[in-house]
Amino acid sequence: DAGVTQSPTHLIKTRGQQVTLRCSPKSGHDTVSWYQQALGQGPQFIFQYYEEEERQRGNFPDRFSGHQFPNYSSELNVNALLLGDSALYLCASSLEGVLQETQYFGPGTRLLVL
Amino acid sequence: DQQVKQNSPSLSVQEGRISILNCDYTNSMFDYFLWYKKYPAEGPTFLISISSIKDKNEDGRFTVFLNKSAKHLSLHIVPSQPGDSAVYFCAAVLSGTYKYIFGTGTRLKVLA
């Protein structure tokens, strides 16, 4: 049973470019959350998707957008990249209605913006 | 505004001794707290949690204590093992929301 998978593992972009990160949730999970972890910081909540809709958002600008597909996989898109967007991007999946502690994290995508 | 704080960036403990990791929070409306462990090149792994209606939860070598009046929680690991060496994050959840608010982490090193 595969856990949460993310692709790519690493990515290098330049300022102003756009990037798309992908996440496949753990089998049976229907909810996907995205977090940004800057160096030396804890993960920060970007948004959560359930039933193909964004249902909660953290303090991130509209340059950050996402999508959830019918198979529950998800994408995170970041437009007009800034140097400060360099971070580890974590995807977490869970099953709606189950205790919050069952949020499973993927290994992350490390994004470097030059 | 850092609502969840881990003021010790690192901690070293001898194998077999107790490790105590601390976490403070500012929002009294948090109703659920969790500890995650993170190894390099891996995502955070859930360790243990506690509801705000409790003051202690135990799971094997791991115990979490919650002091609501002080807005403080701690994770005790007894006995500590070298495999426990990792970064530990505490996180809090507001009732009715879906986001975890994480602290900045404490790097634990257990010395053999």
Side-chain angles (χ1 to χ4, degrees):
Chain A
D1 178 24
V4 180
T5 59
Q6 294 185 242
S7 63
T9 55
H10 295 82
L11 203 51
I12 299 176
K13 291 285 188 179
T14 56
R15 281 180 299 175
Q17 285 189 312
Q18 179 264 344
V19 68
T20 297
L21 311 181
R22 296 176 176 82
C23 171
S24 290
K26 180 178 169 62
S27 177
H29 284 184
D30 57 6
T31 303
V32 173
S33 303
W34 287 92
Y35 290 80
Q36 179 196 66
Q37 186 180 8
L39 202 60
Q41 302 296 316
Q44 288 203 341
F45 178 81
I46 303 175
F47 40 54
Q48 185 180 86
Y49 275 84
Y50 173 66
E51 292 189 338
E52 302 180 46
E53 290 194 0
E54 180 187 301
R55 69 173 174 181
Q56 187 163 17
R57 189 179 185 91
N59 294 328
F60 281 81
D62 291 345
R63 298 187 297 108
F64 289 77
S65 63
H67 190 77
Q68 186 179 34
F69 300 93
N71 66 352
Y72 308 121
S73 67
S74 176
E75 287 181 350
L76 165 65
N77 301 293
V78 187
N79 295 322
L81 284 167
L82 304 173
L83 296 180
D85 295 331
S86 296
L88 179 68
Y89 288 85
L90 294 163
C91 168
S93 74
S94 55
L95 183 61
E96 172 66 9
V98 183
L99 286 175
Q100 292 291 334
E101 69 220 52
T102 52
Q103 201 166 101
Y104 290 80
F105 282 83
T109 293
R110 188 162 295 282
L111 172 65
L112 178 61
V113 181
L114 301 175
Chain B
D1 178 25
Q2 190 70 25
Q3 297 187 66
V4 178
K5 299 178 184 179
Q6 294 176 257
N7 292 318
S8 298
S10 64
L11 175 68
S12 291
V13 171
Q14 209 64 34
E15 181 180 7
R17 304 296 293 269
I18 183 171
S19 295
I20 300 176
L21 296 97
N22 295 304
C23 180
D24 297 296
Y25 61 95
T26 57
N27 192 336
S28 59
M29 299 302 291
F30 288 137
D31 68 350
Y32 209 77
F33 302 89
L34 309 96
W35 284 94
Y36 274 79
K37 178 171 71 174
K38 187 178 185 303
Y39 293 119
E42 295 183 13
T45 303
F46 168 73
L47 205 52
I48 193 169
S49 64
I50 188 167
S51 165
S52 62
I53 62 173
K54 296 186 175 181
D55 54 19
K56 178 182 175 181
N57 188 27
E58 193 171 352
D59 184 1
R61 296 187 297 116
F62 303 92
T63 303
V64 56
F65 295 92
L66 176 62
N67 182 334
K68 283 176 290 186
S69 61
K71 296 192 181 68
H72 177 84
L73 68 155
S74 60
L75 173 68
H76 292 209
I77 307 173
V78 182
S80 302
Q81 300 173 354
D84 296 329
S85 297
V87 178
Y88 289 78
F89 292 98
C90 66
V93 187
L94 269 172
S95 176
T97 72
Y98 302 99
K99 64 178 182 179
Y100 290 5
I101 299 174
F102 282 87
T104 52
T106 296
R107 183 177 301 276
L108 173 67
K109 188 172 184 179
V110 180
L111 307 169

